């Protein structure tokens, strides 16, 4: 198959993990007779430095001409001055919004090989296999905002429409139907009007999915349940901000934030694929980054945008095998272990293919 992939490395460890990932995808292409073209664009802090804009027109054009987008990470201390008028993060948010990527899928699973070093007891973690479905183009991230540079007051607005909740709820229910048929909806319906709309709408949508067992949790309780009974969750659907927070929390279950991939989708096959982790400026350029989150994001790209299931699974299996062999990056090394570099880890995964 022929595919055109927009590649946006971004900032911090973004370029490192993306570089190994395009290599991985090239090896997959060679092995399976595909023809992947990679077209690189700028986003985030580097784009601000070069063009003044975190999401240059040229980058949007590259993405529009592509079948899917592969993105590293954006942001860093260089651009985090609170008085700055433009943040690197705006590039990423603008991209999600421009393409209407409303459904952000963040799968979280545990690895037998990592259980003994986990911060939670191994018996709690053994059966963890959760799919977060985070609403990505609305809610408080995109509601009315007023920022007074030097003033005494600013505000953000959490806002949802019924149609917005319906479309992400439908994605979540359908995902649950293909899995263990359980959906947990997270909200703050006891306090926020927008979240009462969220809950009412999810209940209404549930009528079309009689085979899926629906549970509601308030977000504060959800943070606790995620740690006390993580194995009981199947699919979790949440608004933009709650989904952001809960998915970082859930990364602890997997062993490290460096391990989680994500797919940001709309109703067709187009999608943006990026690790859940950020640009990790503290370890950038030192060969310490964990490439797993980015590799698994590439697997999701193959699965969802290109329908290459066997190729996607081969990446996941290669990662399982390398972890089972005992190879570790710095973030998952555990006590007394020895970490290999990003490059050595990436090469080991590629060799397993
Ligand atoms: C994420 C990140 C982003 C978000 C930032 C970088 C804007 O934390 O993808 O989870 O908040 O959505
Ligand atoms: Mg986040």
């Amino acid at each position: 198959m022929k595919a055109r992939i927009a590649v946006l490395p971004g900032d911090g460890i973004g370029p490192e993990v993306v570089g190994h990932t395009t290599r991985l995808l090239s090896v997959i292409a060679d092995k399976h007779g595909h023809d992947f073209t990679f077209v690189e664009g700028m986003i985030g802090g580097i784009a601000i430095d070069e063009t003044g804009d975190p999401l240059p027109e040229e980058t949007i054009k590259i993405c529009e001409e592509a079948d899917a987008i592969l993105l590293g990470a954006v942001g860093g201390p260089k651009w985090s001055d609170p008085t700055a008028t433009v943040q690197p993060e705006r590039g990423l948010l603008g991209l999600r919004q421009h393409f209407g990527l409303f459904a952000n899928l963040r799968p979280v699973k545990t690895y037998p090989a990592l259980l003994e070093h986990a911060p939670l007891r191994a018996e709690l973690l053994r059966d963890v296999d959760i799919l977060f479905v985070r609403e990505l183009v609305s809610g408080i991230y995109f509601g009315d905002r007023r920022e007074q540079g030097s003033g005494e007051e600013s505000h953000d607005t959490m806002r949802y429409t019924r149609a917005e909740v319906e479309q992400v709820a439908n994605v979540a229910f359908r995902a649950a139907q293909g899995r263990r048929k359980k959906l947990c909806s997270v909200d703050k319906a006891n306090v926020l009007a927008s979240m009462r709309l969220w809950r009412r709408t999810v209940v209404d949508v549930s009528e079309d999915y009689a085979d899926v067992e629906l549970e509601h949790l308030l977000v504060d309780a959800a943070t606790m349940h995620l740690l006390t009974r993580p194995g009981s969750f199947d699919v979790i659907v949440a608004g933009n901000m709650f989904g952001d927070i809960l998915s970082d929390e859930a990364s602890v279950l997997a062993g490290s934030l460096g391990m989680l991939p994500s797919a940001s989708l709309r109703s067709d096959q187009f999608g943006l694929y990026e690790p859940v982790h950020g640009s990790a400026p503290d370890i950038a350029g030192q060969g310490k980054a964990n490439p797993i989150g980015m590799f698994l994001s590439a697997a999701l790209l193959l699965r969802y945008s290109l329908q290459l299931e066997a190729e996607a699974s081969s990446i996941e299996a290669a990662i399982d095998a390398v972890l089972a062999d005992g190879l570790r990056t710095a973030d998952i090394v555990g006590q007394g272990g020895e970490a290999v570099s990003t490059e050595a880890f990436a090469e080991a995964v590629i060799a397993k293919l």
Side-chain angles (χ1 to χ4, degrees):
M1 121 176 286
K2 249 173 118 85
R4 200 177 170 83
I5 302 173
V7 176
L8 314 180
D11 308 315
I13 59 171
E16 296 166 56
V17 292
V18 165
H20 293 299
T21 305
T22 50
R23 228 181 84 59
L24 171 89
L25 286 172
S26 302
V27 172
I28 295 260
D30 284 351
K31 242 189 111 198
H32 296 264
H34 303 307
D35 177 4
F36 296 160
T37 306
F38 302 103
V39 189
E40 204 168 301
M42 277 188 290
I43 193 166
I46 170 118
I48 295 177
D49 287 353
E50 301 283 324
T51 71
D53 182 352
L55 182 60
E57 274 302 320
E58 171 68 16
T59 299
I60 294 182
K61 193 164 159 272
I62 289 171
C63 295
E64 275 171 348
E65 288 165 354
D67 299 301
I69 309 169
L70 196 66
L71 185 145
V74 297
K78 184 170 175 201
W79 309 279
S80 58
D81 174 357
T83 64
T85 51
V86 60
Q87 295 87 27
E89 289 75 9
R90 285 276 131 220
L92 178 55
L93 297 172
L95 201 58
R96 292 169 178 173
Q97 190 179 39
H98 179 86
F99 288 100
L101 305 168
F102 64 88
N104 181 224
L105 273 42
R106 301 187 158 185
V108 178
K109 65 164 206 158
T110 51
Y111 293 85
L114 298 181
L115 288 183
E116 70 184 280
H117 296 299
L120 295 185
R121 289 202 310 279
E123 76 245 34
L124 277 177
L125 295 175
R126 226 174 294 281
D127 299 320
V128 170
D129 181 0
I130 306 174
L131 177 66
F132 281 88
V133 179
R134 169 188 174 194
E135 193 292 319
L136 203 61
V137 292
S138 184
I140 196 166
Y141 274 52
F142 293 96
D144 180 61
R145 166 172 301 135
R146 190 173 148 137
E147 196 145 28
Q148 292 187 320
S150 56
E152 296 299 312
E153 199 232 295
S154 294
H155 70 248
D156 300 279
T157 311
M158 190 178 304
R159 174 188 167 277
Y160 271 111
T161 65
R162 174 169 279 272
E164 287 167 345
V165 181
E166 277 171 1
Q167 63 175 2
V168 74
N170 275 301
V171 169
F173 275 109
R174 279 198 299 269
Q177 281 183 322
R179 296 170 44 107
R180 304 195 307 280
K181 298 191 171 48
K182 288 201 293 184
L183 178 64
C184 173
S185 170
V186 174
D187 60 42
K188 188 71 186 174
N190 55 343
V191 178
L192 305 173
S194 57
M195 292 287 95
R196 279 191 285 278
L197 173 73
W198 177 280
R199 189 175 292 209
R200 277 199 311 276
T201 307
V202 171
V203 168
D204 291 347
V205 173
S206 74
E207 286 176 10
D208 293 337
Y209 302 91
D211 54 334
V212 176
E213 182 193 322
L214 174 63
E215 167 188 29
H216 303 276
L217 282 180
L218 297 171
V219 64
D220 45 354
T223 61
M224 186 182 70
H225 288 263
L226 253 184
L227 300 183
T228 53
R229 54 172 181 98
S232 73
F233 293 102
D234 180 15
V235 180
I236 298 181
V237 65
N240 207 339
M241 182 166 69
F242 295 162
D244 176 47
I245 297 168
L246 291 176
S247 56
D248 267 34
E249 183 191 7
S251 75
V252 176
L253 306 170
S256 157
L257 190 54
M259 326 253 309
L260 298 198
S262 88
S264 304
L265 307 172
R266 55 190 194 194
S267 304
D268 59 5
Q269 286 163 20
F270 185 81
L272 160 69
Y273 301 85
E274 54 168 326
V276 172
H277 67 68
S279 61
D282 52 323
I283 58 162
Q286 299 172 30
K288 287 187 184 164
N290 186 337
I292 293 180
M294 190 78 239
F295 279 3
L296 291 174
S297 301
L300 296 181
L301 184 157
L302 296 174
R303 175 170 295 133
Y304 295 129
S305 283
L306 307 184
Q307 276 71 51
L308 298 174
E309 177 55 40
E311 290 81 339
S313 313
S314 75
I315 295 179
E316 292 159 350
I319 291 169
D320 286 350
V322 167
L323 287 173
D325 283 351
L327 241 61
R328 301 285 182 266
T329 44
D331 54 324
I332 50 174
V333 76
Q335 264 157 11
E338 208 180 313
V340 302
S341 69
T342 309
E343 164 143 37
F345 193 92
E347 285 308 320
V349 173
I350 290 170
K352 290 280 185 196
L353 295 172

